[in-house]
Amino acid sequence: MALRMSTLFLRTLREDPADAELPGHRLLVRAGYVRRVAPGIYTWLPLGMKVLGKVEEIIREEMARIGSQEVKFPALLPREPYDATGRWSEYGDLLFRLKDRKDADMLLGPTHEEMFCLAVKDMYSSYKDLPLALFQMQNKYRDEARPRAGILRGREFIMKDSYSFDIDKAGLDKAYDAHREAYIRIFNRLGFEYVIVQADSGAMGGSASEEFLAVNPNGEDTFVRDEHGYAANVEAVVVPQAPEVDASSTPAAQVHDTPDTPTIDTLVESLNANHPRTDGRSWTGADSLKNVLVMLVHPDGTREPLAIGLPGDREVDAKRLEVQVAPAEVEAFEEKDFADYPMLAKGYIGPGVLGSEKSSKIRYLLDPSIAVGSAWVTGADEPGKHVIDLVHGRDFTADGTVQAGEIREGDVAPDGKGTLTLARGIEMGHIFQLGTKYAEALGLKVLDENGKLVTVTMGSYGVGVTRAVGVVAEDNHDQYGLIWPRELAPADVHVVVASKDEEVFVKADEIVRGIEAQGVEVLYDDRRKVSPGVKFKDAELIGVPTILVIGKGLADGKVEIKDRRSGERREVEVGSAVAEVVAEVQQS
Amino acid sequence: MALRMSTLFLRTLREDPADAELPGHRLLVRAGYVRRVAPGIYTWLPLGMKVLGKVEEIIREEMARIGSQEVKFPALLPREPYDATGRWSEYGDLLFRLKDRKDADMLLGPTHEEMFCLAVKDMYSSYKDLPLALFQMQNKYRDEARPRAGILRGREFIMKDSYSFDIDKAGLDKAYDAHREAYIRIFNRLGFEYVIVQADSGAMGGSASEEFLAVNPNGEDTFVRDEHGYAANVEAVVVPQAPEVDASSTPAAQVHDTPDTPTIDTLVESLNANHPRTDGRSWTGADSLKNVLVMLVHPDGTREPLAIGLPGDREVDAKRLEVQVAPAEVEAFEEKDFADYPMLAKGYIGPGVLGSEKSSKIRYLLDPSIAVGSAWVTGADEPGKHVIDLVHGRDFTADGTVQAGEIREGDVAPDGKGTLTLARGIEMGHIFQLGTKYAEALGLKVLDENGKLVTVTMGSYGVGVTRAVGVVAEDNHDQYGLIWPRELAPADVHVVVASKDEEVFVKADEIVRGIEAQGVEVLYDDRRKVSPGVKFKDAELIGVPTILVIGKGLADGKVEIKDRRSGERREVEVGSAVAEVVAEVQQS
């Protein structure tokens, strides 16, 4: 049955909603697909339900194709399993926690590794039961600090999460590859530009985690690419360790008075004025070793200071650092913290006091670009003093390295060959070789061929379902409205009666019935008292890819077919209207 | 693609789960349809998802047929709309409340009248936009004190809730009737015995609220029926006011010493021994007027005592009383409360002190069976004393009547003609003429034909979706397992290979492909190392209505088709197996 505009629960808006940040989101609200209830919490209206249903169907088909079985875990969950893996606390404020009437702690599931793991543990016991792949599609909850851009980053959202269970790494690799292929098919069908990037994978490292990012200048994720096909989320970029350099001709380190130089800029100016380099070039920020202090807050609440040494012309990238120190959170190192460490001369802090063996006992990690043998100007741990020609490995060492420095356009790729460019994206999918982390925490073991208990190896795979609708909207619109890819459109054809003449409606009814008889879905603008101009505007806004206009031309036996994306129009004989529309819908 | 038992995420259990109360629930757990995560919170496994999907599809079809449009509101909701209608507090402990990271109050939606009302208010403004009917199918949350019988009364459950919006009562009646018809079609298709009963409808009264109850001896609801077609939830039964009787020959009331008679039984015994009736029959409990005290707790926390007078052989029905006093809750009248009311002689309380005009000032309501003119023996408000021949209307009055007495098998129907029988049921659907209650609280008005603002009239209609699966299971099983109605079965046919001979599997594969080519869904027991006996047991337990056994008979060119419900088996030629199975599936 056609969706009829005369009865459809819809009120298109001519004005942009006040709270909408991005163009696609504005159009989804204006065209009546979604409606905001609270920050990051949305209602899906009838047109939105149609699109959402089609996204879900694509995902179901592609998951079935790789043999993944659909289940549904509750969204309201008991605390205990999330305690066992530490995530009850690690999730911090992101987790919606609540108590039931018996004062039992519960949570709204942000993702379900624990629950799947426990279900498999309960039901399976042998390697013969594996491999296994399960998925669900359902509401997830994350109490985002800054819910953003409508359905792109909601606090309640639909996610498809899958989990694979295998007896060994070879099985996991196979499951991972199958999911990767399924995701490629899903995202190709959804119809937006995406890139597959290496993602941070915490302790796992390597290629065990990839993200599917929708390429979008308004995205919250930054990723890098090089000319050889390398692509990674900026959090996952591994800056290569700079090769050792020869320091044999570097003079001994000298401490100099550099009064009033607590910043890199003031230092560089002072050095160029008072201590010019002997090699003829000027000092730059890149010659200085900047030591940045942060405070880590561990899940148990303990606070641990951390010092990061990196070239003075680079900043610490907060997101890259967060990934490295998770589950600890990063806070600023404040005045009161300085008071606790009197050996730290603020603005003049150097490796002389930093490091777990040094007077501060503060762990000290270097950016990998700080080569052994390289010489630096850095703080001398006394106000107004810096030390020049301090050589890494000769005059100072650190506790290790950390991947926390900012990544810049033009940086060398991790392989040392490519040149990085930066772009922004929206995370649409994430595939992740979890390994045994959850299975170990929750005791998921099965008997292997030799009757020995082995821990099951898991993979976890997610697609943002509601987010996908948002991304498609961001990627498929023009100034007049949305332009849905055919597979996601709320209907195949939008039939507009551009007349108030009842005879035209009678003819239109007949054509609509004819089109529907071919299994083609119609959105039918059968409104009697709305002007053709308003109907055309609504059709452009709603964005069904094919528009059939039945109006004045009918007197000459003509109707008009319009392609929403190209704007191309053509007249066809009314007698062949059904066939033409069906052909158009089926071919494209 | 066939569901294959060799890979299906399923482990059937031979033992009943410890926490399962009802036979259908036990079988759903044993056959691997659902799995308990926490009290009242369940996971749906692959077989359960299939059945659930079919229930949802039936509901979607029938809602579409009456022009109801599907939407989806969030499950996580802001507090404000529920404050506006008072339900934030009225729901009491049933409501899951939580706070977000900004300390804003939120709730998990138990039902969505408020949200629908606000959405329509936002989008619609004229009578021309009406009528409108919307529905959603999604997780609902109620923190039940006693989550029960698996998915029958969960704390997280799927509900289909619909709402109608009309300009007037005539429109509401039409919407109500349409939903009633749709529900009849839905419940007929689901395949369990049900009855439509008048339901309590609070202030609305009359036929404005009906429940669809699955008839089930384990149900939590009690309903009555009579021989003339009357049916009502026991909470909705309106006991007729007993007609006035002539008291002219009743002697004046006399106070008698009745020591140690604080209960009806002791009183009756004492009266028969010491004060025999003059009409020759013995005293019974039905001759006494029992006065029951309860404490009402209003939503604002204030406590109000209430006295209920009813024949001594009847109890107050807590559920009937709750309905009458809602949103107040009913608590026991405790010793400390008696201490606050010294005029109450416990065990000997009579109308002498009860009533808002009397010394206790306690509101006093009578059962409607207490006729004006009828004479009673009741407490004389002194320990050890009762009064005989106390006549209602002559010697005492009350503040009104209340429908709170128990209803018994054999009672007279409200029309005064029929005789009531009692039975138990499970509430599966509820249709309810809300009227303007929510629209008024939230300001949902539209302009009528004369340009005047009128409040919209709403209806609300619910179906328990996950509960339906539970009820169907309770109603469709035998000692061996479940027996699904064809339209809900997880597959159309269960093909069992009763052999370990690889050639039999090859033939079975071919037959399965043949069946599937006809669009018939197969659950295929292709397990290589499982005995035929175990496979047969699993097939009975899982309950697909048609079972095709391919085994030994194959040597003679025969396979066996078994009807799960009747147990009937018949051999068919292997060459016609596909056609026979398809015919069986399609005809029944």
Side-chain angles (χ1 to χ4, degrees):
Chain A
M1 267 182 308
L3 290 173
R4 288 173 175 265
M5 293 285 283
S6 60
T7 52
L8 190 64
F9 185 48
L10 172 70
R11 195 59 76 240
T12 56
L13 308 173
R14 296 285 162 249
E15 303 295 322
D16 282 337
D19 61 314
E21 295 172 49
L22 300 186
H25 176 212
R26 281 197 283 272
L27 291 169
L28 285 171
V29 174
R30 281 186 46 203
Y33 286 81
V34 299
R35 204 177 153 273
R36 183 178 173 278
V37 165
I41 296 177
Y42 280 78
T43 296
W44 290 77
L45 297 174
L47 287 179
M49 287 298 285
K50 293 277 173 194
V51 176
L52 190 58
K54 292 184 180 193
V55 172
E56 291 181 346
E57 201 44 45
I58 288 172
I59 294 173
R60 279 207 173 89
E61 283 172 20
E62 298 299 343
M63 295 317 293
R65 200 203 282 237
I66 61 166
S68 187
Q69 302 176 50
E70 186 166 6
V71 296
K72 185 142 76 176
F73 281 78
L76 180 64
L77 296 169
R79 168 177 176 163
E80 292 70 23
Y82 288 76
D83 256 347
T85 59
R87 295 210 296 179
W88 171 264
S89 50
E90 279 172 21
Y91 260 114
D93 285 344
L94 263 189
L95 197 66
F96 280 107
R97 298 177 183 81
L98 67 161
K99 283 179 183 290
D100 74 4
R101 69 195 295 148
K102 292 184 174 162
D103 218 38
D105 281 318
M106 307 199 77
L107 62 113
L108 298 180
T111 166
H112 280 76
E113 279 80 359
E114 286 84 350
M115 305 313 298
F116 276 80
C117 192
L118 286 173
V120 175
K121 178 183 175 183
D122 235 37
M123 290 170 58
Y124 279 2
S125 57
S126 160
Y127 74 99
K128 292 179 208 158
D129 298 324
L130 305 180
L132 172 69
L134 301 172
F135 79 99
Q136 64 177 355
M137 222 174 320
Q138 132 253 58
N139 276 350
K140 297 280 189 297
Y141 295 88
R142 291 186 195 165
D143 196 359
E144 299 283 353
R146 288 173 299 278
R148 188 173 166 274
I151 53 177
L152 285 183
R153 181 180 289 277
R155 297 197 293 166
E156 170 177 298
F157 56 97
I158 300 175
M159 183 169 150
K160 188 285 297 174
D161 49 333
S162 306
Y163 305 89
S164 64
F165 300 86
D166 286 276
I167 190 72
D168 56 21
K169 178 68 163 70
L172 173 58
D173 285 343
K174 215 170 137 188
Y176 183 91
D177 290 344
H179 281 86
R180 192 177 195 275
E181 291 304 313
Y183 277 31
I184 289 172
R185 284 191 293 267
I186 289 169
F187 293 123
N188 286 348
R189 288 176 69 180
L190 289 181
F192 53 82
E193 189 195 346
Y194 68 91
V195 57
I196 304 174
V197 303
Q198 289 178 23
D200 156 58
S201 51
M204 299 283 307
S207 65
S209 173
E210 288 168 290
E211 283 173 2
F212 290 71
L213 297 182
V215 179
N216 188 302
N218 296 310
E220 289 191 311
D221 283 341
T222 305
F223 67 94
V224 299
R225 292 190 265 207
D226 77 2
E227 64 275 32
H228 308 303
Y230 167 76
N233 192 309
V234 79
E235 281 100 307
V237 174
V238 179
V239 175
Q241 178 61 53
E244 185 167 345
V245 294
D246 179 13
S248 58
S249 60
T250 307
Q254 328 98 48
V255 174
H256 293 271
D257 280 328
T258 53
D260 301 325
T261 58
T263 65
I264 299 298
D265 285 347
T266 51
L267 171 64
V268 167
E269 196 180 329
S270 163
L271 288 174
N272 282 324
N274 307 314
H275 307 281
R277 292 176 62 94
T278 53
D279 62 3
R281 71 169 179 81
S282 296
W283 292 103
T284 71
D287 299 314
S288 73
L289 173 64
K290 173 161 72 177
N291 296 298
V292 176
L293 282 153
V294 297
M295 186 63 78
L296 304 185
V297 184
H298 293 283
D300 66 2
T302 60
R303 302 168 69 84
E304 180 204 353
L306 175 68
I308 298 158
L310 73 172
D313 62 339
R314 296 219 173 216
E315 301 300 328
V316 168
D317 179 320
K319 282 185 164 182
R320 279 172 55 78
L321 176 59
E322 273 164 22
V323 163
Q324 298 300 323
V325 301
E329 292 192 358
V330 179
E331 291 189 357
F333 196 86
E334 296 179 346
E335 285 304 329
K336 65 176 164 51
D337 298 316
F338 275 105
D340 291 339
Y341 293 89
M343 72 293 293
L344 299 179
K346 197 178 171 188
Y348 304 89
I349 302 168
V353 298
L354 298 174
S356 41
E357 310 285 314
K358 295 290 176 58
S359 60
S360 70
K361 302 212 185 321
I362 294 174
R363 193 152 58 104
Y364 181 42
L365 301 175
L366 293 178
D367 188 77
S369 67
I370 311 288
V372 169
S374 60
W376 300 88
V377 51
T378 190
D381 301 310
E382 271 185 67
K385 287 186 195 294
H386 279 87
V387 54
I388 296 180
D389 286 330
L390 196 74
V391 172
H392 180 206
R394 182 189 76 181
D395 304 324
F396 76 97
T397 57
D399 294 310
T401 59
V402 64
Q403 294 286 343
E406 61 176 314
I407 305 296
R408 287 199 205 135
E409 187 90 15
D411 277 359
V412 174
D415 67 358
K417 293 173 195 148
T419 304
L420 298 182
T421 56
L422 269 71
R424 296 184 74 83
I426 299 168
E427 185 185 340
M428 288 309 310
H430 192 173
I431 54 178
F432 189 11
Q433 296 203 354
L434 282 181
T436 57
K437 176 179 167 187
Y438 289 89
E440 259 162 25
L442 296 161
L444 169 56
K445 293 171 198 285
V446 295
L447 293 172
D448 71 5
E449 284 177 78
N450 309 312
K452 222 185 75 190
L453 275 175
V454 293
T455 301
V456 169
T457 297
M458 290 173 64
S460 139
Y461 317 91
V463 172
V465 179
T466 40
R467 180 180 287 184
V469 177
V471 162
V472 172
E474 297 304 334
D475 234 24
N476 293 274
H477 66 264
D478 60 17
Q479 58 182 308
Y480 305 111
L482 297 160
I483 309 170
W484 292 105
R486 192 159 288 289
E487 216 181 339
L488 297 192
D492 296 315
V493 56
H494 190 143
V495 176
V496 174
V497 180
S499 169
K500 295 191 179 178
D501 181 348
E502 200 53 34
E503 273 176 49
V504 179
F505 281 96
V506 171
K507 189 67 199 170
D509 285 353
E510 187 191 305
I511 292 172
V512 166
R513 279 194 302 273
I515 294 172
E516 291 189 304
Q518 308 284 315
V520 169
E521 292 173 321
V522 179
L523 173 59
Y524 182 19
D525 199 339
D526 61 337
R527 289 177 292 178
R528 260 49 175 188
K529 299 194 173 167
V530 172
S531 73
V534 168
K535 289 182 177 179
F536 292 144
K537 278 214 172 75
D538 279 346
E540 305 258 275
L541 183 59
I542 290 169
V544 172
T546 300
I547 301 170
L548 173 66
V549 180
I550 305 173
K552 282 197 304 256
L554 199 60
D556 308 319
K558 303 280 190 188
V559 297
E560 188 183 83
I561 296 175
K562 181 178 169 185
D563 183 275
R564 171 68 184 91
R565 194 175 288 272
S566 69
E568 203 180 300
R569 300 152 185 271
R570 60 196 174 92
E571 282 205 327
V572 300
E573 296 293 327
V574 64
S576 61
V578 171
E580 291 276 351
V581 164
V582 171
E584 176 118 357
V585 164
Q586 286 169 350
Q587 78 183 356
S588 60
Chain B
M1 267 182 306
L3 289 172
R4 288 170 175 266
M5 294 284 284
S6 60
T7 53
L8 190 64
F9 185 49
L10 173 69
R11 193 60 76 241
T12 57
L13 307 173
R14 296 287 161 247
E15 303 295 326
D16 282 337
D19 61 315
E21 295 170 49
L22 300 185
H25 176 210
R26 281 196 283 274
L27 291 168
L28 284 172
V29 173
R30 282 185 45 204
Y33 286 81
V34 299
R35 201 176 157 274
R36 184 178 172 279
V37 165
I41 297 177
Y42 280 78
T43 297
W44 291 79
L45 297 176
L47 286 179
M49 288 297 287
K50 293 277 174 196
V51 176
L52 190 58
K54 290 182 183 193
V55 172
E56 292 181 344
E57 200 46 44
I58 288 172
I59 294 174
R60 280 209 173 89
E61 283 173 21
E62 298 300 342
M63 295 316 294
R65 202 205 280 238
I66 61 166
S68 187
Q69 303 177 50
E70 186 167 6
V71 297
K72 185 143 75 176
F73 281 77
L76 179 64
L77 297 169
R79 167 177 176 163
E80 292 71 22
Y82 288 77
D83 256 347
T85 59
R87 297 211 294 178
W88 171 264
S89 51
E90 279 173 22
Y91 261 113
D93 284 346
L94 264 189
L95 197 66
F96 281 108
R97 298 176 184 83
L98 66 160
K99 283 180 182 288
D100 74 4
R101 68 194 300 152
K102 291 183 174 162
D103 218 37
D105 281 319
M106 307 199 78
L107 61 109
L108 299 180
T111 166
H112 280 77
E113 280 80 359
E114 286 84 349
M115 305 313 297
F116 277 80
C117 192
L118 286 173
V120 175
K121 178 182 175 185
D122 234 37
M123 288 169 61
Y124 279 1
S125 57
S126 161
Y127 74 99
K128 293 180 209 159
D129 299 325
L130 304 180
L132 173 68
L134 301 173
F135 79 99
Q136 63 177 355
M137 222 175 320
Q138 132 254 56
N139 276 350
K140 297 280 189 294
Y141 295 87
R142 290 185 197 168
D143 197 359
E144 300 283 352
R146 289 172 300 279
R148 188 173 166 272
I151 54 178
L152 285 184
R153 183 179 287 277
R155 298 198 292 167
E156 171 178 298
F157 56 97
I158 299 175
M159 183 170 153
K160 188 284 297 173
D161 49 336
S162 305
Y163 305 89
S164 65
F165 300 85
D166 286 277
I167 190 73
D168 55 22
K169 178 68 162 68
L172 172 58
D173 284 343
K174 212 169 140 190
Y176 184 90
D177 290 344
H179 282 86
R180 192 176 195 277
E181 291 305 313
Y183 277 31
I184 288 172
R185 283 192 294 268
I186 289 169
F187 293 123
N188 286 348
R189 289 176 69 181
L190 289 181
F192 53 83
E193 190 196 344
Y194 68 91
V195 57
I196 305 175
V197 302
Q198 290 176 22
D200 154 61
S201 52
M204 298 285 306
S207 66
S209 173
E210 288 169 291
E211 284 174 2
F212 290 72
L213 296 183
V215 180
N216 189 300
N218 295 310
E220 290 191 311
D221 283 341
T222 305
F223 67 95
V224 300
R225 292 189 265 205
D226 78 2
E227 63 276 34
H228 307 304
Y230 168 77
N233 192 309
V234 80
E235 282 100 307
V237 174
V238 179
V239 174
Q241 178 60 52
E244 185 167 348
V245 295
D246 180 14
S248 58
S249 60
T250 308
Q254 328 98 46
V255 173
H256 294 270
D257 279 329
T258 54
D260 300 325
T261 58
T263 65
I264 299 298
D265 285 348
T266 52
L267 171 64
V268 167
E269 196 178 329
S270 164
L271 290 174
N272 283 325
N274 307 316
H275 308 280
R277 291 177 65 95
T278 54
D279 61 2
R281 69 167 180 85
S282 297
W283 291 102
T284 69
D287 299 313
S288 72
L289 173 65
K290 174 161 74 177
N291 296 298
V292 177
L293 283 151
V294 297
M295 186 62 78
L296 305 184
V297 184
H298 293 282
D300 66 2
T302 59
R303 301 166 71 81
E304 180 203 354
L306 175 69
I308 298 158
L310 75 173
D313 64 338
R314 297 220 171 214
E315 301 300 328
V316 169
D317 180 320
K319 281 186 165 182
R320 278 172 57 76
L321 176 58
E322 274 165 22
V323 163
Q324 298 300 322
V325 301
E329 294 192 357
V330 178
E331 291 189 359
F333 195 87
E334 296 179 347
E335 285 305 331
K336 63 176 168 48
D337 298 317
F338 277 104
D340 292 340
Y341 293 88
M343 72 293 295
L344 299 179
K346 198 178 173 188
Y348 304 89
I349 302 169
V353 299
L354 298 174
S356 40
E357 310 287 314
K358 296 290 176 58
S359 62
S360 72
K361 301 208 183 328
I362 293 175
R363 192 151 58 106
Y364 182 41
L365 301 174
L366 292 179
D367 189 74
S369 66
I370 311 289
V372 170
S374 59
W376 301 88
V377 53
T378 188
D381 301 312
E382 270 185 66
K385 290 189 193 296
H386 278 87
V387 55
I388 295 180
D389 286 330
L390 197 74
V391 173
H392 180 205
R394 183 189 76 180
D395 304 323
F396 75 97
T397 57
D399 295 310
T401 59
V402 64
Q403 294 286 343
E406 61 177 312
I407 305 297
R408 287 198 204 136
E409 189 89 15
D411 278 358
V412 172
D415 67 358
K417 294 172 195 149
T419 305
L420 299 182
T421 56
L422 270 70
R424 297 184 73 82
I426 298 166
E427 184 187 339
M428 288 309 309
H430 192 174
I431 54 178
F432 189 11
Q433 296 202 354
L434 281 182
T436 56
K437 176 179 167 186
Y438 289 90
E440 258 162 26
L442 296 162
L444 169 56
K445 294 173 197 286
V446 296
L447 293 172
D448 71 5
E449 284 178 74
N450 309 312
K452 223 186 72 189
L453 274 176
V454 293
T455 302
V456 170
T457 297
M458 288 172 65
S460 137
Y461 317 90
V463 172
V465 180
T466 40
R467 179 180 286 183
V469 177
V471 162
V472 172
E474 296 303 335
D475 233 25
N476 294 274
H477 66 264
D478 60 17
Q479 57 182 307
Y480 306 112
L482 297 160
I483 309 171
W484 291 105
R486 191 158 290 290
E487 216 181 339
L488 298 191
D492 296 313
V493 56
H494 190 145
V495 176
V496 174
V497 181
S499 169
K500 294 192 177 176
D501 181 347
E502 201 52 35
E503 273 175 48
V504 179
F505 281 96
V506 171
K507 188 68 198 169
D509 286 352
E510 188 190 304
I511 292 171
V512 166
R513 278 195 302 274
I515 295 171
E516 291 191 305
Q518 308 284 314
V520 169
E521 292 173 322
V522 179
L523 173 59
Y524 181 20
D525 199 341
D526 62 336
R527 290 176 293 178
R528 261 45 178 192
K529 299 194 174 167
V530 173
S531 75
V534 168
K535 288 182 179 179
F536 293 144
K537 278 216 173 73
D538 279 345
E540 305 258 276
L541 183 60
I542 291 169
V544 172
T546 300
I547 301 170
L548 174 67
V549 181
I550 304 172
K552 282 200 302 258
L554 199 62
D556 307 319
K558 304 280 190 188
V559 297
E560 188 183 83
I561 296 176
K562 180 177 169 185
D563 183 276
R564 171 68 184 90
R565 193 175 289 269
S566 68
E568 203 181 300
R569 299 151 186 273
R570 59 195 175 93
E571 281 206 325
V572 301
E573 297 293 327
V574 63
S576 61
V578 170
E580 292 275 353
V581 163
V582 171
E584 177 120 356
V585 164
Q586 285 168 351
Q587 81 187 355
S588 59

